[in-house]
Amino acid sequence: DIVMTQSPDSLAVSLGERATINCKSSQTILSTSKNKHYLAWYQKKPGQPPKLLIYWASTRESGVPDRFSGSGSGTDFTLTISSLQAEDVAIYYCQQYYSPPPWTFGQGTEVEIK
Amino acid sequence: EVQLVQSGAELKKPGESLKISCKGSGYTFPKYWIAWVRQMPGKGLEWMGIIYPDDSDTRYSPSFQGQVTISVDKSINTAYLQWSRLKASDTAIYYCARPNMVSTLGAFDIWGQGTMVTVS
């Protein structure tokens, strides 16, 4: 199975400041035929289902604020919140969906306000 | 509106059986995979398995193979997750989710509201 490792486990950022979350896969999740990385980012708030933010490592889901961006290649990926807002307090998960299953999640990164 | 609606919370005893459901609407249900994801209390998300309603092709995470059964009834646009003998460690919230691409695998853009299963 592909193991996804996120860092840090938690971070505290001041309102309006940048938050950066890293995700590393234990093997490549790049489809050479499609030239796409099979990597998604989700936001999880208590009492709510996960919300898709980013897919193909850098494609923002419709309706997601543009302060959220994804980047990376190979086995190292990053979710950046450019200017943290109060409503961004949540746990963030990366997930690989590179065939075959299982499509594993990272352990999660908790973002809070400093 | 595209949505997945899950069955309600369950309180069961160890050793009992259980089947929870996930009903899709607003899209061509047979043509999109449906996945199940577990979140134990205070823990992260775990991918359990996935089923393609059109032909019932099912894949399990090794961690859940033999522990649960995923099934589907495409005539009523509903996927299921079932246990034959529950354990206290099955206490969790279970989500169903749909990928954002038809007939293939992808990131999950549509999620059910979650079903809380308590085994005690």
Side-chain angles (χ1 to χ4, degrees):
Chain A
D1 299 356
I2 298 176
V3 177
M4 307 300 287
T5 304
Q6 293 181 225
S7 61
D9 289 333
S10 64
L11 75 161
V13 177
S14 300
L15 288 172
E17 296 300 305
R18 178 185 301 263
T20 301
I21 302 169
N22 301 301
C23 176
K24 186 175 184 65
S25 60
S26 61
Q27 64 190 70
T28 184
I29 52 175
L30 170 65
S31 167
T32 52
S33 60
K34 295 187 175 183
N35 195 32
K36 290 182 182 292
H37 290 89
Y38 283 53
L39 190 283
W41 288 97
Y42 300 89
Q43 178 190 66
K44 179 71 171 69
K45 295 181 178 180
Q48 297 181 21
K51 175 186 177 182
L52 177 63
L53 299 175
I54 303 286
Y55 57 99
W56 298 134
S58 61
T59 301
R60 193 180 304 112
E61 173 73 344
S62 176
V64 172
D66 60 8
R67 63 180 180 273
F68 291 92
S69 63
S71 63
S73 63
T75 59
D76 293 285
F77 303 91
T78 300
L79 174 70
T80 301
I81 310 172
S82 60
S83 176
L84 191 75
Q85 304 301 302
E87 61 265 32
D88 300 334
V89 170
I91 299 177
Y92 293 84
Y93 294 90
C94 62
Q95 183 209 15
Q96 62 82 16
Y97 48 98
Y98 189 73
S99 296
W103 295 341
T104 41
F105 292 91
Q107 80 275 19
T109 295
E110 185 171 15
V111 174
E112 58 183 14
I113 305 295
K114 183 187 292 183
Chain B
E1 178 191 9
V2 175
Q3 58 179 351
L4 296 172
V5 178
Q6 298 183 229
S7 49
E10 301 276 0
L11 175 59
K12 306 292 282 187
K13 291 179 167 45
E16 291 184 332
S17 63
L18 176 64
K19 191 174 189 178
I20 62 175
S21 66
C22 169
K23 183 175 178 62
S25 62
Y27 70 99
T28 307
F29 181 82
K31 299 301 185 183
Y32 285 80
W33 292 80
I34 292 284
W36 288 95
V37 174
R38 182 176 79 174
Q39 185 171 37
M40 298 175 71
K43 302 297 183 182
L45 304 174
E46 298 175 272
W47 191 90
M48 302 176 69
I50 198 164
I51 189 164
Y52 189 64
D54 209 26
D55 62 6
S56 297
D57 183 8
T58 308
R59 324 279 178 87
Y60 293 93
S61 165
S63 299
F64 292 92
Q65 180 85 47
Q67 307 304 308
V68 298
T69 301
I70 294 171
S71 61
V72 68
D73 184 343
K74 67 179 179 179
S75 70
I76 55 171
N77 290 359
T78 302
Y80 301 97
L81 178 66
Q82 68 180 89
W83 297 259
S84 58
R85 291 184 61 83
L86 286 161
K87 299 174 285 190
S89 57
D90 293 318
T91 295
I93 299 174
Y94 294 87
Y95 295 99
C96 60
R98 191 207 77 167
N100 60 357
M101 294 190 295
V102 63
S103 298
T104 189
L105 309 172
F108 301 131
D109 64 336
I110 305 295
W111 292 74
Q113 81 277 21
T115 295
M116 179 70 220
V117 173
T118 303
V119 184
S120 177

